Amino acid sequence: MLRADSTGKELRCRLDALWLELAICATVDDRLSGWMSDHDADVLAALTAEGEGAAVRRLAAPGTLPLTVLGGARGIDRSRRGAGNLRVTVFWPGALRGHIAPGQAGGQLRHGVPHTAPGPECRCPRQTCGGIIPTPYCPEHGSAAEPVMAWHSGGGIRCAALHGR
């Protein structure tokens, strides 16, 4: 897991025997649990205690697309079973989750739902949720046009709800 503090300093945390539980409702938390050393758990706890918490930039699990969390991790639960390492759970609001943009640029993948239907000159990739990913060269939605859109995270809970309609 790659974590970043408020200054942008990155920390890689190794969680063994991972368990990722993704919320299906925007009011429930996403959770990531695993085993880690005492030192890593202390550093992770310090990062999440900095006010709004440390940002989860990228999260990958087998069989899923890479995810990003727009807000910070809200907390950390720790429990010790026996004389071994700690069982650590990091959680954040499920409504903040979305996919990472494909390619080298990375970053958050955002879908814009235009308030008017895209015209025939629009070259922006259409999404199953009804949104588009604006391209800079599109005459209707590019950087020169700056249209009014409702934004949401691609692959997040809001995107899935719009896709279901």
Side-chain angles (χ1 to χ4, degrees):
M1 185 167 89
L2 183 61
R3 307 279 303 178
D5 64 12
S6 58
T7 65
K9 179 181 169 190
E10 293 181 347
L11 168 74
R12 288 185 187 273
C13 297
R14 180 180 172 90
L15 290 167
D16 294 318
L18 287 176
W19 181 260
L20 175 63
E21 182 181 350
L22 298 177
I24 58 171
C25 173
T27 60
V28 182
D29 290 337
D30 288 336
R31 296 176 177 270
L32 178 67
S33 298
W35 297 95
M36 72 174 19
S37 69
D38 289 336
H39 173 72
D40 284 347
D42 289 342
V43 171
L44 189 59
L47 284 174
T48 58
E50 290 183 353
E52 64 183 59
V56 180
R57 289 188 185 168
R58 183 166 188 216
L59 177 65
T64 66
L65 293 171
L67 300 172
T68 186
V69 178
L70 308 180
R74 284 201 328 220
I76 178 172
D77 288 335
R78 302 160 82 164
S79 63
R80 186 181 301 281
R81 296 188 180 119
N85 287 343
L86 290 173
R87 181 76 175 172
V88 176
T89 302
V90 179
F91 51 95
W92 57 87
L96 302 177
R97 173 181 9 107
H99 288 309
I100 289 180
Q104 292 181 348
Q108 171 204 1
L109 180 63
R110 295 189 328 150
H111 294 170
V113 180
H115 289 282
T116 59
E121 299 205 5
C122 177
R123 300 291 180 249
C124 301
R126 307 289 201 284
Q127 304 302 306
T128 58
C129 63
I132 59 171
I133 301 175
T135 56
Y137 51 83
C138 176
E140 294 182 41
H141 306 107
S143 52
E146 296 189 28
V148 177
M149 289 197 236
W151 294 94
H152 64 270
S153 301
I157 291 177
R158 175 79 176 131
C159 189
L162 288 172
H163 174 69
R165 281 201 245 158

